[in-house]
């Protein structure tokens, strides 16, 4: 999954990043309001960890941007302020959860997992698409009941495709989702073709037909 950690306490920010990256998640950071607002305008995230009291602005205004732009990111507010009014305002503006500092990273991770399940797949730990079944808890993929071995990037790519089925995904969007800010350092996107080609082979001929090339645009996951 892809996360934005909008937190101006750098030690806490980096602790969250380190913790989430252990499970292979892509993490981007923003250390003030302007950086956070720029990123939420441009990019899409699975979950945003959002400090209400950001340098140079308020996290509440970030929530207003997300609502205005119809972004579907899950949002967990973090703040040292345990004010009921702040909590209610954040939830009214579309935040999914609220956690007060100080907190244990394991608790934050549990809340992230719950938000992801509610937001993308209606609370289910199993994602099913025709003969494809994905257990998101164990990160295991089954084709017609038989498990297949995917690399981390292939697994993330498959979940990303199914989450956005019917939508054309450009190579830039795919690269940014899989690599985050590091995608800007890449010379080209040839590696995306390699990952997609390998994923098609592992999905077998039956499953491979769902991944269509949108020539000049990118790729689309459709029900044949």
């Amino acid at each position: 999954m892809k996360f934005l950690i909008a937190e101006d306490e750098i030690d806490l920010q980096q602790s969250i990043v380190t913790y989430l990256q252990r499970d292979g998640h892509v993490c981007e950071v923003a250390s003030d309001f302007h950086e956070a607002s720029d990123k939420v305008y441009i990019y899409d995230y699975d979950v945003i960890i959002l400090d209400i009291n950001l340098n140079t602005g308020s996290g509440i205004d970030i929530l207003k941007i997300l609502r205005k732009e119809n972004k579907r990111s899950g949002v967990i507010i973090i703040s040292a302020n345990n004010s009921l009014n702040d909590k209610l305002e954040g939830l009214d503006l579309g935040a999914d959860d609220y956690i007060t500092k100080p907190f244990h990273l394991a608790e934050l991770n549990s809340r992230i997992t719950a938000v992801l399940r509610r937001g993308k797949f209606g609370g289910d730990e199993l994602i099913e698409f025709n003969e494809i079944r994905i257990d998101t808890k164990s990160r295991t993929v089954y084709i017609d009941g038989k498990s297949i071995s995917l690399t981390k990037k292939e697994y993330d790519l498959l979940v990303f495709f199914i989450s956005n089925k019917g939508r054309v995904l450009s190579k830039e969007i795919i690269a940014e989702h899989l690599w985050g800010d590091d995608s800007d350092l890449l010379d080209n996107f040839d590696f995306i073709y390699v990952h997609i080609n390998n994923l098609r082979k592992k999905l077998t001929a039956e499953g491979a037909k769902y991944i269509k090339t949108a020539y000049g645009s990118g790729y689309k996951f459709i029900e044949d």
Side-chain angles (χ1 to χ4, degrees):
M1 297 291 114
K2 181 180 170 188
F3 301 100
L4 173 65
I5 296 89
E7 167 61 60
D8 55 20
E9 293 182 31
I10 302 304
D11 287 345
L12 176 59
Q13 176 197 100
Q14 291 305 307
S15 293
I16 295 172
V17 169
T18 300
Y19 190 90
L20 295 177
Q21 285 181 336
R22 294 189 314 174
D23 292 327
H25 299 301
V26 175
C27 296
E28 297 183 6
V29 298
S31 301
D32 61 34
F33 171 82
H34 298 300
E35 189 176 7
S37 60
D38 286 345
K39 292 202 169 190
V40 299
Y41 267 122
I42 299 171
Y43 303 118
D44 291 320
Y45 299 95
D46 293 296
V47 174
I48 298 171
I49 312 301
L50 180 64
D51 189 349
I52 283 185
N53 300 307
L54 288 168
N55 283 336
T56 70
S58 170
I60 293 295
D61 290 327
I62 298 295
L63 285 169
K64 292 177 181 178
I65 293 172
L66 291 168
R67 171 178 280 187
K68 179 181 177 182
E69 298 296 312
N70 293 315
K71 297 282 188 172
R72 297 183 298 172
S73 305
V75 178
I76 298 175
I77 292 174
I78 57 176
S79 175
N81 189 346
N82 198 26
S83 165
L84 179 62
N85 288 337
D86 284 343
K87 179 178 181 178
L88 292 177
E89 184 177 8
L91 294 173
D92 286 345
L93 285 170
D96 298 276
D97 205 347
Y98 187 107
I99 189 168
T100 303
K101 300 176 186 178
F103 53 82
H104 293 290
L105 293 175
E107 180 185 359
L108 175 63
N109 190 53
S110 294
R111 292 176 184 243
I112 289 170
T113 300
V115 167
L116 284 168
R117 287 202 304 265
R118 290 197 303 268
K120 282 193 173 291
F121 306 112
D124 294 332
E125 290 180 349
L126 289 178
I127 305 168
E128 294 184 310
F129 182 87
N130 294 344
E131 73 279 5
I132 301 172
R133 183 164 60 93
I134 303 173
D135 185 328
T136 60
K137 189 173 183 178
S138 65
R139 295 174 64 87
T140 305
V141 178
Y142 301 88
I143 304 292
D144 289 325
K146 182 181 294 186
S147 66
I148 62 172
S149 177
L150 298 182
T151 67
K152 179 194 173 302
K153 294 300 183 187
E154 291 162 359
Y155 173 88
D156 290 344
L157 185 59
L158 178 60
V159 173
F160 190 47
F161 271 136
I162 293 178
S163 302
N164 292 276
K165 57 181 179 288
R167 173 188 173 194
V168 174
L169 302 173
S170 70
K171 292 179 180 179
E172 291 80 5
I173 287 174
I174 294 172
E176 208 276 332
H177 178 79
L178 295 179
W179 273 269
D181 287 338
D182 292 338
S183 65
D184 294 337
L185 305 176
L186 299 169
D187 293 330
N188 58 61
F189 298 117
D190 291 345
F191 63 89
I192 292 177
Y193 171 79
V194 174
H195 285 303
I196 289 177
N197 194 43
N198 289 339
L199 178 60
R200 279 173 166 157
K201 290 177 181 178
K202 292 180 180 181
L203 290 178
T204 72
E206 182 70 17
K209 66 185 180 182
Y210 301 132
I211 304 174
K212 299 293 186 182
T213 301
Y215 293 101
S217 300
Y219 298 90
K220 180 190 290 189
F221 195 90
I222 63 172
E223 185 162 7
D224 192 60

